[in-house]
Amino acid sequence: MADEVPCLPNMMALFENGVPSLETLQYAIGDIDQQLTENDRSIEKVLQELVKATNGLSADNNYTNIKDAMDSLIHTPVLEECACLPPEPDDVNKLLKAILHHLTSSPGSENAIFDQLLCLASHEGLGLPIRAPKPDLVGDSNFSLNSISDSKEQENDLVWEDIRSRLKRHFLECLQSMPTTMKSESKTIQTRRVEYLQSLCILFPELEVWNSYQQVRSQQLINTVRTQLGGVQGGGDKNDSKSEMHTPSINTPPKLSLRDLAGHMQQLVSVIQLMVKEDGDLFLTDVFNGRVDFMQCIQDLYMQTLSEELQPVISDTVTTVVGRDDAGCNGKKKEEVGNNFHSHVADDRLFDTAVESAKVELNPEDLTAFITIVTGLAALDSYMRHLFDQVTRDFAPPIVPRKPKSSIKSVLKNSPRDSLDRDGKGRGGDRDYNSQKGIMSDAIPPPFGVTPCMMQSANSNKTHIRQSVLDSPSKKLQWNWIDLLERLVPDVTWSVTKLILDTLQTSLHQEEEVFQKSRCTNEVPVCRDLVNGSLDYPKLISVSLAELVSALENLMPLAVLASEGVMKAIRTAFTDAIEANLSQIFITLSNRLKTFESTSAEDGDSEVYTGITEVYKMLSAAVFCTSYLTHIKSILTDDDTRRSLSGVHKQLTEFSNAIVDITKNYHSGVISSSILHDAESNNWADQRAFFEDERVSFSIQMWNLHMKGLQQELFASCPPRHAQRILALVLRDSLKVLSQRYSRAMPSYKRTKQLRSDITAILLTTLDFLWSSANSVQAVLDQQVTVQPYSDIHNCCICLLSTMAVVASPLQDFYKVFKKGFQHKRMVLKDAEKEGVPMVIPWMVWTRMEVFFGCEKGFEGVQKRSAVFILLKLLSSQPSPNYAMILQALLVRDNLLPVLLVRNADQKMCQSSQESLSSTSPNTSGCGGICCPGQQCYSNQSCEIPDIIQPIVDVLILCTDHPNALANVLIAMIEKDDDMSIFEPNCIPGKTVPVPPWLACVYELLSFYIDGAIKSSIVHLTTEELHKEVSVGFLDSLRELPCGCVPKKSRNMSNQTESKDIPNAVLQTLIKRVTNDVVTIPMPLCVFFETLRQNLCTKKIRSAHNTPGIQIIASCLYNKLHDVEGLAELVGHPLEASTLASLATTADYCHQILTCEDAGGLEGKSQEAVVFIKRNSEWLEKNMNKMIGHLSNELLDDYSAYPLEDSPYEFVSHFMTELAETVCQNPEGQKSLLQVYHILKNNMDWLAYHLEIPPSIPNQQETPTIPHFSLDVPPPLSSNNDFSPLASFNRLGESPFNHDALAEFAIDWLKLLQSDIGLSEAGFRNLLLHRHEMQEDAYLEEIEKKPVRVLRSKYDLDNDDLV
């Protein structure tokens, strides 16, 4: 097989999943270096063959280097001696007339004739007059007066010109007939366009071809604009008199309204963008050899034409809208207004004058239409500028020319006289060789040759054009598209202000009327994508605020574009209206807050509770405004916007903080004065047991119920972060009251058990609400955390635990630990710490030992299953999804969580039922909340979860810093199935055996890699099918050339040759693309392939090429090429039956070829595949080695992730946050994260069961059963009103409120007392006095007397100063 042109890896596929890893880039760069090295070898080989050919021309030649050989060819007439004699004009005339006759008698044969002309030039040395200018009378004056013109030569010139003209007409007609709206087939059409223009550039000078193409393209653009605008006649056609194409006239319909114009604008912009992209691709292919300035092309062909076509249409539309014409009496006033806008003066007086002069108010529909038009024109302008930057960008480093030395400066100068010299010396000099690129100017006479004037003209034009482009590299495109709409700017400015103000005033007035009557505010939901985002958006906001935000969102694109020039006034009006409206909202919220404060001081509890719900709504409104202002300032980044909005932003922030304090104080007051007020349960001196020791205090159980209701209310209506903060603050304040109350309690013997049960319930309740109020692992585990209020919460719990340990512990254990004094115990603690035994054990260890055991060493000290459960519990308790925590849960402890899921999930659990999918199918219009992006709403898309495997795999493939995670999960799935039959030589998953779930996931991950190769194959296949039928040319009747030589019979010169074998060509294209793009496979998938290879080697199973990745890629290609619906979706349209049959055949051959290792493995292969393998053995071996080298790279063995297990909390949190942002930048990343979140949150009981985590209070009466696993996700905006006060009263966390279990809660008292319980000696003595045995009137058993006497004496408890 002939050497092919090396191909670079597909950069788009390489960056499909974000920035690739360093190893992937290193391998890609190494592959490019290898290709460059092969190129150098090929060039060296060609040069050596050229030297040999030169030596073969003469027996005296014995050159060893290329320079000497080329000098010999230039300085000696050896080529002229070897060439044929110049053809006679009569013979040339016969050939040209035969070609012309064939053109006229065989319409449609132009392509075949042109190809055969090129074959004559390439195989027989008959050069075409490349880019020859047309005969000119001025040029004839340069010849001598005594020269004799040959009539045959003149006739030959005319005949050749006729042939060229006919070919030109044909190619231009083909260009004219190409559609401009078929985006699905744009690549095929673009290939044909490039071929036609390249053909024209062979026949004519590039500038002449460009002028003709510009006329064709300009007419296509004009027709497109008029067609898309409904046939409206725009500006005059500047090319009507010159264009070679004629278009039918279009009748002028009535004027368009603003809404009609906006309706046509979107489709028009998309079509023009496609046309601009096609022309940009032309310049990237360098069809015109750098002689056409792309910037000038964009400006003349598109910007100027669009302005001329749209100006009259928009002008008529504006006149219809505003009802006046600026050319009349108001022209002067409007000119002054326009000057005010152009002057960029930010003076309020000028702005007011401009607004007052425009009294026409656009209705909302016309304003929306104006925004659509502006957005479309701006998008088109931005697209053209971006494309211009891509086309004209020079990636080479700038070269600073060195100043030549004075001694050789004169040598480098060219003499004009020498350049015009035509004698032998001039032709033999190096200057002539360099300037004419080695072409002898008079080697082949015209018309089949290149004349000196042609070369001189071409070189001079080329030098002039390239120099003009290089001399102005800083040029920028200039298209003042806003000038088309300048007349509407004052009216739009006035309308924007009026619309924003009227929207809020109307809705706020209606809302205030409802509030005065019912003391209630109606709310609407917010899009869950905003709630789950980085800013703290609430789930519900008031109707008035929602209507205001909807109006602002509709106007936001206009404000973003109005950054300078005439449009600047619109942004100023926009921001001023926002500032005024939000100030009005602030005043309204402040008045309502005053109403609540006055009501809470006068009315009863029911009125106050109704008021506190309104306070939640005020908080939501204020926080939404502050978050939305932050969003606006991030979009409108100018200083004026930030300055104008900073004041109201500060007011609303302070108001939000005030509401947080008011809410916290209200609930803390209710808890301390009402909930915890219980005289019976707080009567510690009572000698009777509280309820016969059958339950904990009512106040503790009511406190648990109140906190649950508060959590439900806050998480349902308040912003997530503010809700967490309020819950944490209330929890802290209530714990302060409880810790003070119980640390002062001196229970009797009968009430000691009650104190122990109460404190146990308090600690378990605190832990339950700490999951919800904490936003990090550190806030839960680290009791020395400095962040408030979590530090106070841990201190209160330590105080309660120490109180229970000292006051309610068994006397014998207490005496055993403290009989030698407090200082002795402290010395024991110090000795233990020196030996590495941690004695400061967090309080939560004593409440749930099975979960928090080892947490005194930090999160890394917790056991694997417990660590995963902690993250899961914390994640499921958050008010909104925490993306960083989701990733941390998937990645910690060697990916225990996803591995556990795939190992324990059966086939029924892996997929949702059809009923559940149909019932929870996401709405195509989005979740329906405020600011919802519609179909792009990830919260709505994530409601449909077809299986549990694919979302996890889609997330792990994006975690390139943890490539082993994907391998661990997929290997676990393979080990679970325990079926290695798919790696047998003749096994094709999807044909001989079903595709296992893990392999289906891998197919999905390989889609971006495989789809690119399939697209290239389909394009190649369709292109070859278009050229299969070739028209008959003129070479059949040609027996000899004009020079007398017999034409060579080349298979490319005759139209009767065999057509190229299309399946073989498609196979080569497919395999070449798969090989070149192998570096684009993500690193996690490569690590999986290598891990799978090692596992197969351990089990003594050999895959194809000992590289299972190649076998999987081959089977993926097979299945995708047989997927009819997938192929139609890939190319954008259904494929023909013949194309599908060819692709199916290609799939069979490709799988056999890729899985064949050597000549000995040809048994069982089809005959066609065997022929292909034998014919291209070296080429296949080269490509296979490349794939094997990448998929079985030694670097993959030691590829490890960042060591996060032993890292500090802050580093892990920051790392996971950055990783979450990277994952969310992927188009499917956020959706997959939300799907994983729903899977984990909906199945917490199932996960806890398989993690072997028992409930906090086990129910001895119930038989343990496997919880139900569900993939059913409710719609994003469904109300979660499942709070039942009665059921919540009898629940403590996820367990029943079992009073007996709380009374008999298992605590290792001896170990607890031996640890550091956080007490000073004075505090210990005070608590010791509160034990019932230490009280004066305590009744002691005989066994208790000695310990009590020793302890009282040791700690001197008889002093009166003790409290």
Side-chain angles (χ1 to χ4, degrees):
M1 182 177 179
D3 294 339
E4 62 180 63
V5 179
C7 296
L8 298 179
N10 189 347
M11 292 296 112
M12 183 177 296
L14 187 64
F15 291 86
E16 178 77 16
N17 294 320
V19 179
S21 62
L22 294 178
E23 288 75 11
T24 301
L25 290 176
Q26 181 180 1
Y27 190 87
I29 295 173
D31 186 46
I32 295 174
D33 292 338
Q34 182 180 358
Q35 291 180 358
L36 292 176
T37 303
E38 293 178 359
N39 291 346
D40 294 339
R41 293 175 182 173
S42 301
I43 294 173
E44 184 67 25
K45 182 179 179 181
V46 171
L47 294 178
Q48 293 298 329
E49 292 177 354
L50 188 58
V51 172
K52 291 180 181 179
T54 305
N55 293 334
L57 294 177
S58 175
D60 298 333
N61 294 344
N62 188 19
Y63 300 106
T64 58
N65 59 77
I66 186 63
K67 183 179 184 304
D68 295 339
M70 290 300 99
D71 288 342
S72 172
L73 293 179
I74 294 173
H75 296 161
T76 61
V78 61
L79 290 179
E80 299 177 4
E81 294 174 356
C82 297
C84 297
L85 296 176
E88 294 296 331
D90 293 336
D91 297 331
V92 174
N93 185 262
K94 293 178 182 179
L95 176 60
L96 293 178
K97 285 185 177 181
I99 298 173
L100 182 61
H101 174 72
H102 194 83
L103 278 173
T104 55
S105 61
S106 302
S109 62
E110 289 84 358
N111 289 332
I113 291 176
F114 180 75
D115 292 340
Q116 292 174 356
L117 286 174
L118 293 182
C119 289
L120 282 178
S122 61
H123 290 78
E124 304 296 342
L126 293 179
L128 296 175
I130 301 174
R131 303 181 183 89
K134 294 182 179 181
D136 193 358
L137 296 177
V138 178
D140 296 338
S141 63
N142 295 329
F143 294 97
S144 173
L145 295 176
N146 297 323
S147 62
I148 301 175
S149 60
D150 190 353
S151 60
K152 280 295 181 181
E153 291 183 356
Q154 294 180 357
E155 183 181 357
N156 291 344
D157 292 339
L158 295 176
V159 175
W160 172 245
E161 189 62 32
D162 192 7
I163 295 173
R164 287 203 308 170
S165 300
R166 291 176 183 273
L167 293 176
K168 177 181 180 182
R169 186 181 305 110
H170 167 72
F171 291 133
L172 291 178
E173 288 176 353
C174 293
L175 291 172
Q176 179 73 18
S177 62
M178 286 184 175
T180 58
T181 58
M182 298 181 63
K183 188 174 183 179
S184 59
E185 299 181 359
S186 59
K187 189 171 183 178
T188 304
I189 295 174
Q190 183 66 9
T191 303
R192 291 161 54 193
R193 178 181 285 107
V194 172
E195 291 177 357
Y196 294 147
L197 288 174
Q198 286 176 339
S199 302
L200 286 172
C201 289
I202 292 175
L203 297 173
F204 296 91
E206 289 93 345
L207 291 179
E208 182 178 345
V209 175
W210 163 247
N211 291 331
S212 301
Y213 177 72
Q214 186 178 16
Q215 293 177 6
V216 171
R217 203 61 168 167
S218 178
Q219 192 62 45
Q220 286 182 339
L221 178 61
I222 292 173
N223 294 339
T224 300
V225 173
R226 296 177 182 178
T227 303
Q228 294 296 333
L229 294 181
V232 176
Q233 188 76 23
D237 189 355
K238 60 183 178 180
N239 296 324
D240 284 345
S241 60
K242 301 179 181 179
S243 177
E244 302 180 18
M245 304 297 155
H246 301 281
T247 57
S249 60
I250 303 176
N251 296 327
T252 304
K255 298 178 181 179
L256 291 176
S257 65
L258 201 60
R259 276 167 278 181
D260 294 336
L261 183 59
H264 297 302
M265 184 60 65
Q266 294 180 347
Q267 181 65 22
L268 175 63
V269 169
S270 62
V271 174
I272 295 177
Q273 284 180 347
L274 181 59
M275 295 179 65
V276 176
K277 181 181 182 301
E278 292 171 348
D279 288 338
D281 292 341
L282 285 179
F283 281 86
L284 286 176
T285 56
D286 200 17
V287 174
F288 302 107
N289 200 20
R291 300 195 179 189
V292 180
D293 190 359
F294 184 64
M295 183 183 68
Q296 197 69 28
C297 162
I298 293 295
Q299 287 183 339
D300 294 345
L301 182 55
Y302 288 98
M303 294 182 174
Q304 184 177 352
T305 304
L306 282 175
S307 298
E308 293 176 356
E309 287 295 315
L310 294 178
Q311 178 64 46
V313 178
I314 295 179
S315 179
D316 294 342
T317 302
V318 171
T319 303
T320 304
V321 172
V322 301
R324 65 173 186 268
D325 191 356
D326 291 350
C329 59
N330 294 332
K332 184 176 180 181
K333 182 184 295 186
K334 293 294 292 183
E335 182 179 0
E336 293 176 357
V337 173
N339 291 335
N340 288 338
F341 283 110
H342 275 297
S343 62
H344 303 273
V345 179
D347 186 36
D348 294 339
R349 181 170 49 80
L350 292 179
F351 173 73
D352 295 339
T353 303
V355 173
E356 289 297 330
S357 65
K359 295 298 184 182
V360 177
E361 179 183 353
L362 276 67
N363 56 46
E365 291 78 10
D366 287 341
L367 193 58
T368 303
F370 177 82
I371 296 174
T372 303
I373 296 172
V374 170
T375 305
L377 293 176
L380 183 59
D381 180 43
S382 176
Y383 184 82
M384 289 190 291
R385 295 177 186 276
H386 178 68
L387 186 64
F388 172 75
D389 293 339
Q390 285 185 328
V391 173
T392 59
R393 183 178 301 166
D394 187 8
F395 294 95
I399 301 177
V400 180
R402 295 182 179 180
K403 185 176 181 180
K405 297 181 180 180
S406 58
S407 59
I408 63 173
K409 191 172 183 180
S410 59
V411 180
L412 299 178
K413 292 183 178 180
N414 293 327
S415 174
R417 182 179 57 189
D418 294 339
S419 62
L420 297 176
D421 188 10
R422 299 300 177 187
D423 57 7
K425 295 182 179 179
R427 286 189 283 112
D430 292 339
R431 291 189 303 273
D432 194 308
Y433 170 70
N434 292 331
S435 62
Q436 299 182 14
K437 300 181 179 180
I439 300 177
M440 303 303 295
S441 60
D442 53 354
I444 303 176
F448 285 91
V450 184
T451 62
C453 62
M454 298 177 191
M455 294 302 304
Q456 184 177 359
S457 175
N459 289 334
S460 61
N461 291 336
K462 184 174 181 179
T463 305
H464 173 71
I465 296 297
R466 289 190 178 275
Q467 186 175 4
S468 64
V469 174
L470 295 176
D471 287 344
S472 56
S474 61
K475 287 185 178 180
K476 295 183 179 180
L477 292 175
Q478 296 293 333
W479 184 33
N480 297 323
W481 55 269
I482 193 57
D483 294 342
L484 301 173
L485 302 167
E486 183 177 355
R487 288 174 53 197
L488 270 179
V489 170
D491 303 299
V492 171
T493 304
W494 171 262
S495 302
V496 166
T497 305
K498 197 81 167 52
L499 176 63
I500 297 175
L501 294 177
D502 291 348
T503 299
L504 181 65
Q505 292 299 329
T506 302
S507 58
L508 200 59
H509 178 71
Q510 296 174 356
E511 184 176 285
E512 194 64 25
E513 290 181 351
V514 175
F515 181 78
Q516 293 298 331
K517 294 179 181 179
S518 61
R519 295 294 180 182
C520 182
T521 304
N522 297 326
E523 290 186 314
V524 293
V526 180
C527 178
R528 288 300 180 262
D529 279 1
L530 290 182
V531 179
N532 302 337
S534 57
L535 298 177
D536 196 19
Y537 283 102
K539 297 180 179 179
L540 300 170
I541 58 174
S542 61
V543 177
S544 61
L545 183 57
E547 293 181 359
L548 173 63
V549 172
S550 298
L552 295 178
E553 283 296 300
N554 293 332
L555 298 173
M556 187 65 71
L558 182 60
V560 172
L561 296 173
S563 59
E564 58 184 3
V566 180
M567 300 276 285
K568 181 66 175 179
I570 298 179
R571 175 179 289 192
T572 303
F574 180 78
T575 55
D576 290 345
I578 291 177
E579 193 272 336
N581 283 339
L582 294 186
S583 298
Q584 183 62 36
I585 291 177
F586 170 72
I587 295 173
T588 303
L589 294 178
S590 300
N591 294 334
R592 292 180 185 177
L593 185 60
K594 293 179 181 178
T595 304
F596 165 76
E597 292 176 343
S598 61
T599 302
S600 61
E602 298 175 0
D603 298 337
D605 294 339
S606 60
E607 293 289 338
V608 174
Y609 181 76
T610 304
I612 196 63
T613 58
E614 290 301 312
V615 173
Y616 299 155
K617 298 176 182 179
M618 299 178 202
L619 176 62
S620 298
V623 174
F624 185 93
C625 291
T626 56
S627 299
Y628 193 70
L629 283 174
T630 304
H631 168 67
I632 291 177
K633 290 192 289 186
S634 66
I635 297 178
L636 310 179
T637 56
D638 58 303
D639 296 336
D640 295 338
T641 300
R642 293 178 177 273
R643 239 186 332 267
S644 61
L645 299 179
S646 59
V648 67
H649 185 275
K650 181 179 180 181
Q651 289 178 337
L652 290 169
T653 303
E654 294 175 351
F655 181 78
S656 303
N657 296 332
I659 292 183
V660 170
D661 293 337
I662 291 173
T663 306
K664 184 262 297 182
N665 294 334
Y666 166 77
H667 286 286
S668 299
V670 169
I671 290 174
S672 60
S673 61
S674 300
I675 303 298
L676 298 181
H677 182 70
D678 184 8
E680 178 63 23
S681 61
N682 293 330
N683 187 10
W684 301 109
D686 195 344
Q687 298 299 324
R688 297 173 299 172
F690 180 73
F691 270 79
E692 303 297 331
D693 283 337
E694 294 180 353
R695 61 167 294 112
V696 299
S697 301
F698 287 108
S699 58
I700 302 303
Q701 199 167 0
M702 287 300 299
W703 172 65
N704 175 52
L705 175 63
H706 182 85
M707 293 296 296
K708 285 184 178 179
L710 175 61
Q711 175 186 340
Q712 180 72 17
E713 292 177 352
L714 293 175
F715 285 10
S717 52
C718 293
R721 297 174 191 170
H722 284 73
Q724 273 191 314
R725 178 163 179 79
I726 293 174
L727 183 64
L729 291 173
V730 174
L731 180 63
R732 179 197 63 183
D733 292 351
S734 58
L735 283 175
K736 285 184 177 180
V737 175
L738 290 171
S739 61
Q740 292 177 4
R741 177 175 296 179
Y742 282 89
S743 62
R744 296 174 181 176
M746 301 179 65
S748 63
Y749 173 74
K750 294 292 185 179
R751 291 295 179 110
T752 300
K753 190 174 182 180
Q754 177 198 352
L755 182 139
R756 184 166 60 244
S757 300
D758 285 358
I759 293 180
T760 302
I762 292 171
L763 293 178
L764 289 174
T765 302
T766 301
L767 180 59
D768 182 48
F769 292 111
L770 189 59
W771 296 118
S772 303
S773 59
N775 56 4
S776 64
V777 177
Q778 182 183 12
V780 176
L781 296 184
D782 189 4
Q783 62 183 13
Q784 297 181 354
V785 62
T786 58
V787 179
Q788 293 292 353
Y790 307 110
S791 177
D792 291 344
I793 292 175
H794 285 293
N795 291 335
C796 292
C797 291
I798 293 173
C799 180
L800 288 169
L801 180 66
S802 60
T803 298
M804 182 178 66
V806 175
V807 178
S809 61
L811 180 60
Q812 296 301 325
D813 294 335
F814 186 84
Y815 173 72
K816 185 177 180 179
V817 175
F818 291 98
K819 64 181 179 180
K820 294 184 179 180
F822 190 83
Q823 295 297 330
H824 178 268
K825 185 206 171 185
R826 181 170 294 178
M827 294 175 61
V828 172
L829 292 177
K830 291 182 178 180
D831 294 340
E833 290 179 356
K834 291 180 181 180
E835 296 177 0
V837 179
M839 301 306 294
V840 181
I841 301 178
W843 62 271
M844 70 281 299
V845 175
W846 308 106
T847 57
R848 299 200 67 175
M849 180 70 71
E850 66 281 355
V851 175
F852 296 100
F853 180 77
C855 72
E856 62 274 4
K857 300 177 182 178
F859 184 69
E860 63 276 5
V862 183
Q863 298 178 355
K864 284 188 176 182
R865 295 179 178 269
S866 300
V868 173
F869 176 79
I870 290 173
L871 285 171
L872 284 176
K873 185 64 177 177
L874 189 61
L875 174 63
S876 62
S877 302
Q878 299 298 300
S880 62
N882 189 321
Y883 298 136
M885 204 173 292
I886 296 172
L887 290 173
Q888 189 176 2
L890 294 176
L891 297 176
V892 297
R893 300 301 193 266
D894 298 327
N895 318 108
L896 176 61
L897 176 60
V899 170
L900 182 141
L901 273 170
V902 300
R903 283 181 175 173
N904 294 278
D906 55 19
Q907 188 65 24
K908 295 181 179 179
M909 294 166 46
C910 290
Q911 298 179 353
S912 296
S913 61
Q914 295 296 330
E915 293 79 5
S916 63
L917 283 179
S918 59
S919 61
T920 62
S921 180
N923 188 2
T924 56
S925 60
C927 66
I930 298 300
C931 303
C932 181
Q935 295 182 355
Q936 301 299 323
C937 180
Y938 297 113
S939 299
N940 185 58
Q941 296 176 8
S942 63
C943 292
E944 182 178 357
I945 307 176
D947 61 83
I948 67 173
I949 307 300
Q950 193 63 50
I952 296 175
V953 171
D954 290 340
V955 171
L956 295 181
I957 192 65
L958 301 176
C959 300
T960 55
D961 292 329
H962 290 74
N964 296 320
L966 179 66
N968 293 337
V969 174
L970 293 177
I971 293 297
M973 296 178 65
I974 296 174
E975 293 176 350
K976 177 188 174 182
D977 294 340
D978 196 18
D979 184 11
M980 299 298 177
S981 61
I982 64 171
F983 297 105
E984 295 179 358
N986 297 325
C987 180
I988 303 178
K991 180 182 179 181
T992 58
V993 295
V995 179
W998 69 268
L999 188 57
C1001 294
V1002 176
Y1003 285 172
E1004 189 67 25
L1005 298 179
L1006 286 171
S1007 292
F1008 75 94
Y1009 163 67
I1010 298 296
D1011 290 347
I1014 294 178
K1015 276 185 179 181
S1016 300
S1017 303
I1018 294 176
V1019 170
H1020 185 89
L1021 182 62
T1022 54
T1023 305
E1024 290 293 334
E1025 289 180 349
L1026 288 175
H1027 295 289
K1028 283 177 66 176
E1029 298 182 0
V1030 183
S1031 301
V1032 179
F1034 65 89
L1035 286 181
D1036 291 338
S1037 58
L1038 184 64
R1039 300 195 175 182
E1040 65 177 18
L1041 300 175
C1043 60
C1045 299
V1046 178
K1048 300 176 182 178
K1049 295 299 181 181
S1050 172
R1051 64 184 182 92
N1052 294 327
M1053 292 179 61
S1054 176
N1055 60 315
Q1056 300 295 336
T1057 55
E1058 299 179 357
S1059 61
K1060 190 175 182 180
D1061 193 355
I1062 294 178
N1064 286 346
V1066 174
L1067 274 173
Q1068 293 175 2
T1069 302
L1070 186 62
I1071 295 175
K1072 182 173 67 174
R1073 181 65 185 270
V1074 168
T1075 304
N1076 291 331
D1077 292 352
V1078 70
V1079 296
T1080 64
I1081 298 179
M1083 184 57 63
L1085 205 54
C1086 296
V1087 173
F1088 161 68
F1089 288 149
E1090 176 61 20
T1091 306
L1092 178 60
R1093 186 190 67 82
Q1094 294 178 2
N1095 288 2
L1096 293 178
C1097 293
T1098 303
K1099 297 179 180 180
K1100 298 181 179 180
I1101 299 175
R1102 179 175 176 81
S1103 59
H1105 304 279
N1106 197 24
T1107 306
I1110 294 180
Q1111 195 164 349
I1112 292 174
I1113 291 173
S1115 63
C1116 183
L1117 277 169
Y1118 178 88
N1119 285 275
K1120 281 187 170 291
L1121 287 173
H1122 280 84
D1123 185 5
V1124 178
E1125 296 180 358
L1127 291 174
E1129 182 180 357
L1130 181 63
V1131 299
H1133 58 85
L1135 296 176
E1136 298 180 357
S1138 60
T1139 304
L1140 292 174
S1142 300
L1143 291 176
T1145 304
T1146 302
D1148 296 334
Y1149 296 163
C1150 184
H1151 187 274
Q1152 297 176 28
I1153 293 169
L1154 290 178
T1155 56
C1156 180
E1157 298 190 45
D1158 49 27
L1162 297 179
E1163 297 182 1
K1165 309 295 182 183
S1166 62
Q1167 183 65 27
E1168 292 80 1
V1170 172
V1171 172
F1172 184 89
I1173 293 173
K1174 292 182 177 180
R1175 184 185 302 172
N1176 307 285
S1177 57
E1178 295 182 1
W1179 179 78
L1180 281 174
E1181 181 181 2
K1182 174 184 175 183
N1183 285 276
M1184 289 297 102
N1185 290 336
K1186 182 177 180 180
M1187 294 184 67
I1188 294 172
H1190 183 70
L1191 299 178
S1192 300
N1193 197 336
E1194 297 179 355
L1195 297 176
L1196 302 176
D1197 297 340
D1198 301 329
Y1199 202 101
S1200 59
Y1202 289 114
L1204 298 178
E1205 300 294 339
D1206 300 332
S1207 303
Y1209 288 110
E1210 293 80 5
F1211 175 79
V1212 174
S1213 176
H1214 179 73
F1215 179 86
M1216 289 300 171
T1217 302
E1218 294 294 328
L1219 181 60
E1221 292 180 358
T1222 303
V1223 172
C1224 290
Q1225 289 175 1
N1226 186 274
E1228 297 294 326
Q1230 188 172 350
K1231 171 188 172 182
S1232 301
L1233 280 174
L1234 287 173
Q1235 289 177 333
V1236 174
Y1237 170 76
H1238 293 316
I1239 293 173
L1240 300 180
K1241 185 174 183 180
N1242 290 359
N1243 302 282
M1244 267 301 301
D1245 295 337
W1246 185 91
L1247 290 169
Y1249 176 85
H1250 287 280
L1251 286 171
E1252 301 177 359
I1253 303 297
S1256 57
I1257 302 179
N1259 192 347
Q1260 303 295 338
Q1261 300 177 356
E1262 295 182 0
T1263 303
T1265 58
I1266 300 178
H1268 175 66
F1269 192 94
S1270 174
L1271 293 179
D1272 300 334
V1273 180
L1277 301 184
S1278 60
S1279 58
N1280 190 16
N1281 296 327
D1282 56 352
F1283 180 73
S1284 173
L1286 183 59
S1288 300
F1289 182 76
N1290 294 318
R1291 301 288 297 180
L1292 199 162
E1294 72 279 2
S1295 305
F1297 209 113
N1298 192 329
H1299 299 274
D1300 295 335
L1302 290 173
E1304 302 298 332
F1305 195 82
I1307 296 178
D1308 190 346
W1309 293 104
L1310 186 61
K1311 189 173 182 180
L1312 173 60
L1313 293 171
Q1314 289 175 347
S1315 65
D1316 188 355
I1317 54 179
L1319 288 176
S1320 63
E1321 186 172 2
F1324 174 79
R1325 292 174 63 198
N1326 285 333
L1327 289 177
L1328 179 59
L1329 188 61
H1330 293 175
R1331 290 185 64 96
H1332 72 90
E1333 299 95 344
M1334 302 300 168
Q1335 300 175 13
E1336 294 293 338
D1337 54 349
Y1339 173 79
L1340 300 176
E1341 298 288 343
E1342 190 65 29
I1343 196 174
E1344 298 174 340
K1345 292 182 179 179
K1346 178 180 177 182
V1348 170
R1349 183 176 65 255
V1350 172
L1351 290 173
R1352 292 182 67 88
S1353 174
K1354 190 67 177 178
Y1355 293 98
D1356 196 14
L1357 300 182
D1358 296 329
N1359 292 338
D1360 297 333
D1361 58 344
L1362 292 176
V1363 180

